[in-house]
Amino acid sequence: MNVGVVGLGLIGGSMARAYKSAGHQVFGSDINSASLGYAVLSGIIDKELTCDTIKECDLIFIALYPEAAVKYLEDNSKYINKSCTVIDLCGTKRGICKTGFVLAEKYGFTFVGGHPMAGTQFSGIKYSRKDLFRGAPMVIVPPRYDDIVLLDNIKGLLSPAGFGSISVTTAEKHDEMIAFTSQLAHVVSNAYIKSETAKSHGGFSAGSYKDMTRVAWLNENLWTELFTDNSDYLIKELDNIINSLSEYKAALENSDRDTLRKLLKDGREMKELIDGNSSKKA
């Protein structure tokens, strides 16, 4: 199988490594010549993905920021052969899927939205790994949900990456859920670390601090685009947590132990309920 990877950062580089190690021929492209050169010299890709080699691809991954991914499809869809499946790996889905489905229909290839739920706080091809996706969840947004043959084909195409599970959803549902599970966590972590107290936390912190601050170490250019792309759903989640935190603050200001105890109890019980449901589903 000939596999094209557009964008050779952490995610694209890891996808290229996974498919190369599985014995597939991998073509890659990146606007950063240093990243492209590193990928070739390191054997991560076989050769550059161009307007000519793109025609040879059976599968193409687009691992770019959302706006760049849309632009890439607009500029290059005409070169993609009709038997090819294109899967984007963007962190939001509504914009890229809207464009991808229309262009796929126009030019005859198959487009599927995708979001691998894996990564690290580091970026760049030098941090990429062939096993980054091993056991991780993958979310896909197909053009049709009643086409079993299509879904089986997508699962087969993704098998070299080693995902632990594949979930099928809509672009809207994906963006709604990701606002809570990922984007809100990044905002809260990034805001939390700005406390003046953080500068002298040494010797007073353990697991809680590490858990809360891990994703504060982010790529501000990427996350600015992801947040603004999904601002409607993210603002809704921010409103929810701000209102919730205000309740805790009011209870403390009023020395209202009963209310505070209830708030804490409600949170603990919700965690127990969600974890219980998650373990049953697993």
Side-chain angles (χ1 to χ4, degrees):
M1 182 164 65
N2 292 332
V3 181
V5 180
V6 185
L8 296 170
L10 173 68
I11 299 300
S14 295
M15 200 63 81
R17 287 182 189 270
Y19 280 79
K20 187 74 164 63
S21 67
H24 301 289
Q25 182 167 224
V26 179
F27 308 145
S29 67
D30 198 285
I31 59 171
N32 185 321
S33 59
S35 294
L36 181 60
Y38 178 86
V40 173
L41 290 174
S42 302
I44 298 171
I45 63 173
D46 294 289
K47 54 185 175 179
E48 186 176 358
L49 181 68
T50 65
C51 294
D52 291 323
T53 53
I54 196 173
K55 300 171 185 176
E56 303 173 36
C57 291
D58 306 294
L59 173 64
I60 296 173
F61 290 107
I62 303 178
L64 301 173
Y65 293 7
E67 291 175 6
V70 168
K71 181 70 163 54
Y72 181 86
L73 274 178
E74 290 174 341
D75 291 345
N76 294 280
S77 286
K78 58 181 174 291
Y79 303 117
I80 300 172
N81 72 68
K82 294 184 178 182
S83 63
C84 183
T85 297
V86 179
I87 302 176
D88 88 277
L89 304 175
C90 300
T92 55
K93 296 268 74 78
R94 284 176 288 176
I96 185 63
C97 284
K98 180 180 179 181
T99 298
F101 292 150
V102 169
L103 290 173
E105 181 73 21
K106 179 178 180 180
Y107 292 102
F109 60 88
T110 299
F111 177 84
V112 177
H115 187 181
M117 307 307 294
T120 72
Q121 67 268 41
F122 304 109
S123 60
I125 193 168
K126 292 184 179 179
Y127 294 102
S128 62
R129 311 193 318 259
K130 67 179 181 180
D131 63 347
L132 181 67
F133 309 112
R134 184 71 56 188
M138 173 67 164
V139 181
I140 62 170
V141 179
R144 300 178 299 280
Y145 302 92
D146 57 352
D147 190 334
I148 302 302
V149 174
L150 171 64
L151 294 177
D152 283 344
N153 182 51
I154 293 168
K155 291 178 181 179
L157 290 171
L158 289 171
S159 61
F163 290 107
S165 64
I166 296 178
S167 301
V168 181
T169 189
T170 64
E172 290 75 15
K173 187 63 177 177
H174 168 277
D175 288 358
E176 178 184 17
M177 293 303 297
I178 217 70
F180 173 74
T181 62
S182 176
Q183 295 182 343
L184 178 64
H186 281 77
V187 171
V188 171
S189 179
N190 196 263
Y192 172 80
I193 196 63
K194 293 175 182 176
S195 169
E196 281 296 313
T197 312
K199 296 175 182 178
S200 55
H201 77 87
F204 295 88
S205 59
S208 299
Y209 169 83
K210 291 178 181 178
D211 290 344
M212 278 291 292
T213 59
R214 183 180 67 82
V215 293
W217 195 339
L218 48 69
N219 178 332
E220 62 272 14
N221 297 315
L222 170 61
W223 286 96
T224 293
E225 187 170 325
L226 293 174
F227 290 163
T228 52
D229 266 6
N230 207 31
S231 62
D232 51 350
Y233 285 128
L234 181 54
I235 288 170
K236 176 184 174 183
E237 294 299 337
L238 283 168
D239 283 341
N240 287 339
I241 197 169
I242 289 168
N243 291 336
S244 246
L245 289 172
S246 296
E247 293 178 346
Y248 289 86
K249 182 184 177 186
L252 288 167
E253 288 174 338
N254 297 323
S255 298
D256 187 346
R257 292 192 174 195
D258 289 340
T259 297
L260 182 59
R261 186 179 295 108
K262 183 180 184 305
L263 290 169
L264 295 169
K265 179 173 179 288
D266 290 346
R268 173 180 59 78
E269 290 179 343
M270 181 61 73
K271 173 66 173 171
E272 290 172 352
L273 175 64
I274 293 169
D275 281 1
N277 288 341
S278 296
S279 63
K280 289 176 184 176
K281 290 178 182 177

